Each structure stands twice: as C-alpha cells, then as structure tokens.
C-alpha cells in the first residue's frame, strides 16, 4: 500500500431493538470463546521436572494442589505454559499453580466467574483469579478444594455448552 492511501474500515451502527439484540448476540459469542492450549497431555513429564525443580516447602504446596486438579476427572490434561503447570479439560485450561519467592498461587482461568463464599480468590482481572498460599499460614483446604472442583465443572460446562 502506498503511503498516501487511506484504509477505510466499516463501522457497526446500532439502531433499534433488533440491532441491540444483534449486538447482545455478538457479545454472547465473544464471551463463549475459550482460551485453548495445544499440546496438553495426560501426564506431562515437563511438569514432573518443574515440580522437582521447585522442591521444598513451596513446591510441596504447589504439588499438593496440582494433584487435586489432576484428580478432577478422566478428561484432565496438563501442560507447562508460561513457566507453570496448567490443568486443562482437553485443551481448555481451568487451573494452574505457580511458585514465587514466599508464596504459591493456585489460579483459575475463569476465576472471576466462580462462586467464592470463603472469599479466598484474589485479583481484579477480567477473567483470572488466584489463591495465595504461604507456608505456615492456615489454608481453608475444603474451600480451596471446592474452588478447584467448581473451576473444573465450570470449564466442562463451557466446553460442552459453548
């Protein structure tokens, strides 16, 4: 394209009830698009290596909660993504763990949509939330287990029903 040419892009103009309904349908379609990761497998040796590299108290916490994710169902797959273990339903991620200097995050890809009566979730992103765990600090294990199970059920519903 020459530098003096202009690009003209169409603009969606919304007028009337039918147009508002169309806009709502477009928004609904955008919400149903799921993040997908290629390469998820039943048991990823890279995650086992990651866990060995994060031995110690923090690594034990990460392993404990990643094992809960692994046990959510037969369809759970896993992969290492952005340097941390991720649990997926097929290729759709629902949870992850990550080790930091003084804490572990147990995170959820659709955490903002999860019910959290124990108020464990932290973060303010549009989708993701996490639970921060510190060695020696009390953990509501039952509530965190429910969050993991709910995240799995949530992604299953999203995959099955769009």
């Amino acid at each position: 394209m020459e530098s003096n040419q202009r690009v003209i892009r169409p603009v969606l103009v919304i007028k009337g009830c039918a147009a508002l309904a169309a806009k709502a349908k477009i928004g609904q379609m955008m919400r149903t698009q799921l993040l997908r990761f290629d390469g998820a497998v039943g048991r990823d040796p890279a995650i086992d290596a990651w866990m060995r590299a994060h031995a110690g108290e923090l690594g034990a916490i990460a392993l404990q909660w990643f094992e809960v994710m692994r046990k959510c169902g037969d369809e759970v797959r896993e992969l290492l993504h952005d340097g941390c273990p991720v649990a997926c339903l097929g290729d759709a991620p629902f949870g992850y763990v990550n080790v930091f200097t003084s804490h572990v995050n147990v995170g959820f890809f659709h955490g903002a949509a999860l019910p959290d009566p124990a108020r464990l979730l932290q973060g303010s992103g549009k989708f993701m939330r996490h639970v921060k765990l510190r060695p020696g600090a009390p953990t509501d294990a039952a509530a965190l287990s429910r969050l993991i199970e709910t995240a799995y059920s949530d992604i299953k519903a999203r995959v099955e029903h769009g």
Side-chain angles (χ1 to χ4, degrees), residues 17 28-29 32 48-49 74 82 85 87-88 90 97 120 137 143 151 155-156:
C17 292
Q28 182 182 23
M29 289 186 319
T32 61
D48 295 329
D74 293 337
D82 281 347
C88 303
V97 296
L120 298 178
I155 198 65
K156 194 168 192 172

Side-chain angles (χ1 to χ4, degrees), residues 110 113-114 149-159:
H110 294 278
L114 298 178
E149 291 165 10
T150 302
Y152 176 75
S153 296
D154 176 73
I155 198 65
K156 194 168 192 172
R158 289 172 189 269
V159 167

Side-chain angles (χ1 to χ4, degrees), residues 6 12 19 39 81 88 101 104 108 114-115 149 161:
R6 296 178 121 183
L12 177 64
H81 178 75
C88 303
T101 304
V104 172
F108 304 96
L114 298 178
E149 291 165 10
H161 305 302

Side-chain angles (χ1 to χ4, degrees), residues 1-52:
M1 179 187 313
E2 294 180 21
S3 62
N4 61 351
Q5 291 181 333
R6 296 178 121 183
V7 175
I8 299 173
R9 292 188 173 90
V11 175
L12 177 64
V13 177
I14 305 292
K15 292 183 182 178
C17 292
L20 287 174
K23 183 179 179 184
K25 184 157 179 76
I26 291 168
Q28 182 182 23
M29 289 186 319
M30 290 174 66
R31 282 191 301 276
T32 61
Q33 292 180 351
L34 291 176
L35 177 64
R36 306 282 186 156
F37 292 147
D38 288 331
V41 296
R43 185 77 179 222
D44 189 346
I47 290 178
D48 295 329
W50 186 94
M51 292 293 178
R52 286 189 301 276

Side-chain angles (χ1 to χ4, degrees), residues 49-78:
W50 186 94
M51 292 293 178
R52 286 189 301 276
H54 292 86
E57 206 169 15
L58 293 169
I61 293 169
L63 178 60
Q64 173 189 351
W65 292 106
F66 197 72
E67 286 295 332
V68 174
M69 291 179 195
R70 281 175 163 164
K71 293 176 183 173
C72 282
D74 293 337
E75 308 93 350
V76 173
R77 301 292 177 260
E78 61 189 49

Side-chain angles (χ1 to χ4, degrees), residues 116-134:
D116 181 23
R119 302 181 57 82
L120 298 178
L121 293 172
Q122 298 180 23
S124 59
K126 188 172 182 180
F127 300 106
M128 297 180 75
R129 297 287 186 276
H130 64 274
V131 177
K132 196 174 287 191
L133 304 174
R134 288 182 164 61

